[in-house]
Amino acid sequence: MKRLIVAAALAALTLGVAQAQQPNTIEAHIAAAKAAAGFDFTGTLARICIAPQTAPGADVTPPPPPARATWYTEPAKVFDNLYFVGTKFHSSWALTGSEGIILIDTLYDYASEEAIVGGLKKLGLDPASVKYVIISHAHGDHVGGAKLMQDRGSRIVMGGPDWEAIEKSVNQFPAGKPKRDIVAIDGERITLGENAVTLVLTPGHTPGTVSMIFQVKDNGAPLTVAYSGGTAFNFVNDVPHFDTYISSQRKMAAAAATAGATVLMSNHSEFDNAVTKVRLVAARRTGEPHPFEIGREAVGRYFKVMEECAAAARLRLQS
Ligand SMILES: [Zn+2]
């Protein structure tokens, strides 16, 4: 037994030394990202470490909506006070409380009416009680329903540079743009009744990307969620942009650790397996852990995947 403990301690020491001496090469960063991803975050690893790097999309009119069957999925209660009203690919979350709902992200415009407004109704919630809508960033797959919710009376919270991007866009909002409302401030808490969402500005994916920390309840027990606001590398691919992205992931990892986050969420199912986990919640038996609760260590590894893939991508620019 003693020998085993010594061997484990030596292995840990060796690992520590290996990490400290990790060379600054593309291969080493990808290996570190793979190790951090494990089997938990394969989607994120594949998208930003394996798939080719990309550039910003052009300011063009969106294509016609895809068939409903390709994106529609049933809304669902996931925690005592958090409901999924997203699609098969993108997430929209309703945080409910005594004073109303804080909605996080709004999908593509074609999905927002049925998935969000219709989804809330289907779950017995009142769409008119959505007081705040927080948009992680102003790409079409998350900001699409912002105008709809603003027209229905919700206040819209978004990063300043992303409000500017909407204002500058010529072609991306053929059905109209949401009007500038609340500009997200770093560390600000959007509070409504007993709920509070802390905004963590994490520029990188877009200049105004907002990540979040908030609490949910699971059978009465509070759990802290770290919500990652933007992931893929479809921004201007140069060293300063990757440096910004990397420092934002470190910042969010620290914020998540300080808050004791044990739940990781993103705005694409590709990254956090939201749709699969929503199904697992429905199949959960009494006493089983919540499918979204992965623990502090795993939440930390998520942001490590993002950081290491970005470090590899940054080096690729110079190779
Ligand atoms: Zn995006």
Side-chain angles (χ1 to χ4, degrees):
M1 189 62 185
K2 208 174 232 173
R3 185 177 286 173
L4 266 179
I5 291 167
V6 171
L10 269 175
L13 194 67
T14 313
L15 190 68
V17 169
Q19 274 173 351
Q21 290 175 343
Q22 177 187 311
N24 186 28
T25 63
I26 295 169
E27 294 72 24
H29 286 297
I30 288 177
K34 281 183 180 169
F39 287 106
D40 298 308
F41 309 120
T42 50
T44 305
L45 182 77
R47 177 68 176 271
I48 59 175
C49 252
I50 312 299
Q53 288 174 229
T54 52
D59 181 20
V60 294
T61 308
R68 178 183 181 277
T70 62
W71 57 264
Y72 185 81
T73 188
E74 289 294 321
K77 181 173 185 170
V78 172
F79 288 97
D80 302 0
N81 58 342
L82 192 73
Y83 295 77
F84 180 80
V85 287
T87 66
K88 285 177 183 168
F89 307 103
H90 302 103
S91 296
S92 177
W93 292 100
L95 181 64
T96 61
S98 56
E99 302 289 316
I101 295 173
I102 300 176
L103 187 79
I104 299 173
D105 282 322
T106 62
L107 320 172
Y108 274 117
D109 60 348
Y110 61 75
S112 57
E113 177 96 51
E114 182 171 6
I116 298 173
V117 176
L120 290 172
K121 285 181 187 164
K122 218 169 182 177
L123 293 163
L125 300 166
D126 180 7
S129 70
V130 177
K131 298 291 193 298
Y132 292 104
V133 176
I134 307 173
I135 303 290
S136 60
H137 66 272
H139 286 158
D141 45 355
H142 312 294
V143 76
K147 183 183 188 300
L148 171 80
M149 297 311 294
Q150 189 171 54
D151 290 348
R152 296 179 68 96
S154 307
R155 301 291 309 270
I156 313 293
V157 182
M158 203 175 343
D162 283 25
W163 278 119
E164 272 170 41
I166 291 174
E167 285 156 5
K168 277 187 199 154
S169 169
V170 177
N171 301 313
Q172 286 175 61
F173 298 89
K177 301 175 180 183
K179 289 187 206 76
R180 182 183 281 252
D181 191 7
I182 300 170
V183 175
I185 296 168
D186 197 30
E188 180 183 12
R189 284 156 57 89
I190 301 296
T191 59
L192 185 64
E194 67 276 36
N195 289 323
V197 177
T198 301
L199 309 180
V200 182
L201 301 194
T202 50
H205 178 68
T206 65
T209 294
V210 179
S211 295
M212 294 158 229
I213 304 272
F214 55 94
Q215 269 198 355
V216 293
K217 290 216 164 116
D218 177 34
N219 294 321
L223 293 173
T224 302
V225 178
Y227 188 97
S228 174
T231 311
F233 297 163
N234 50 336
F235 45 81
V236 175
N237 278 203
D238 60 17
V239 167
H241 279 82
F242 277 109
D243 285 345
T244 300
Y245 183 103
I246 289 166
S247 71
S248 285
Q249 303 327 311
R250 290 178 180 159
K251 177 184 177 181
M252 189 54 191
T258 303
T262 58
V263 175
L264 184 282
M265 287 183 175
S266 175
N267 41 20
H268 289 245
S269 260
E270 178 185 1
F271 304 137
D272 66 359
N273 297 311
V275 170
T276 301
K277 289 187 176 184
V278 166
R279 287 201 188 116
L280 292 173
V281 171
R284 182 191 186 194
R285 292 187 191 159
T286 310
E288 285 182 351
H290 195 286
F292 273 93
E293 192 185 6
I294 59 173
R296 293 178 193 214
E297 183 267 345
V299 170
R301 284 192 286 109
Y302 185 80
F303 295 103
K304 192 74 182 159
V305 174
M306 294 177 75
E307 178 188 337
E308 292 289 351
C309 291
R314 182 184 180 282
L315 285 176
R316 262 189 225 115
L317 298 172
Q318 297 154 322
S319 63

